[in-house]
């Protein structure tokens, strides 16, 4: 990965992914599944959303045009914010890590100036024109949700995330 910009972007994204996982470390299954805010989402639901609606959707489907991922996205009626209750927290975390690893493998050789390989009809005329815009979107989304998790974790047990970087 000789591209300095790409290396920097992936470094930032991986830092935000780590933040998401680190802020949830030590919470038991019940706490991860407990809604804290009036909207009703859970910490586990947010991680599941990041795995499917961000990592899988934006990188495997939109950026890479992976047909299997596109078919799964278009074929499911499931709400990514509500993981199957039979799926353990560790399985959801593993899914997130696996989707991030797949994204990183694709991005390692990607051209940031390339257009997305696939674009869903449900966005209408709005679109991102380059992979760079997709990566920046996922960084923003991941960082925003990491902040949500910081606030929720503090409400759950008072723990605050310390950023030492």
């Amino acid at each position: 990965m000789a591209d300095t910009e790409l290396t920097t972007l992936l470094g930032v994204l991986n830092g935000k992914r780590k933040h998401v996982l680190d802020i949830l470390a030590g919470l038991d299954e019940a706490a991860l599944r407990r809604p804290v805010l009036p909207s009703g989402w859970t910490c586990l639901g947010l991680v599941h959303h990041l795995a499917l609606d961000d990592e899988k959707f934006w990188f495997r489907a939109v950026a890479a045009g992976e047909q299997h991922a596109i078919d799964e996205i278009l074929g499911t009626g499931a709400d990514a914010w509500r993981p199957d209750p039979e799926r353990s927290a560790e399985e959801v975390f593993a899914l997130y890590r696996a989707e991030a690893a797949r994204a990183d493998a694709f991005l390692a050789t990607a051209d940031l100036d390339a257009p997305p390989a696939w674009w869903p009809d449900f966005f209408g005329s709005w679109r991102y024109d380059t992979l760079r815009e997709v990566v920046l979107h996922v960084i923003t989304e991941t960082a925003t949700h990491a902040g949500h998790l910081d606030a929720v974790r503090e409400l759950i047990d008072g723990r605050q995330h310390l950023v030492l970087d």
Side-chain angles (χ1 to χ4, degrees), residues 112-126:
L112 290 174
D113 293 317
W118 173 75
W119 196 257
D121 293 338
F122 52 79
F123 283 144
S125 63
W126 172 81

Side-chain angles (χ1 to χ4, degrees), residues 80-153:
W81 284 87
R82 300 187 191 287
D84 183 337
E86 300 301 314
R87 182 174 255 180
S88 72
E90 190 45 52
E91 289 173 312
V92 172
F93 292 138
L95 173 67
Y96 182 54
R97 287 184 196 101
E99 289 297 340
R102 286 184 183 120
D104 285 352
F106 165 75
L107 291 169
T109 60
D111 175 2
L112 290 174
D113 293 317
W118 173 75
W119 196 257
D121 293 338
F122 52 79
F123 283 144
S125 63
W126 172 81
R127 69 179 291 122
Y128 287 130
D129 295 320
T130 65
L131 178 57
R132 178 181 292 100
E133 291 174 312
V134 171
V135 172
L136 289 169
H137 172 80
V138 176
I139 289 170
T140 301
E141 184 82 0
T142 306
T144 299
H145 287 319
H148 295 144
L149 290 171
D150 282 340
V152 168
R153 178 65 189 253

Side-chain angles (χ1 to χ4, degrees), residues 15-28 31-32 41 43-44 46-47 50 93 96-97 142-163:
K16 300 311 171 197
R17 289 168 173 159
K18 182 178 181 324
H19 185 130
V20 165
L21 296 171
D22 286 353
I23 193 60
L24 299 177
L27 287 178
D28 64 19
L32 289 166
W41 62 264
C43 294
L44 200 59
L46 192 147
V47 174
L50 284 170
F93 292 138
Y96 182 54
R97 287 184 196 101
T142 306
T144 299
H145 287 319
H148 295 144
L149 290 171
D150 282 340
V152 168
R153 178 65 189 253
E154 191 170 350
L155 289 169
I156 290 172
D157 66 2
R159 179 169 174 240
Q160 296 178 356
H161 183 76
L162 300 175
V163 179

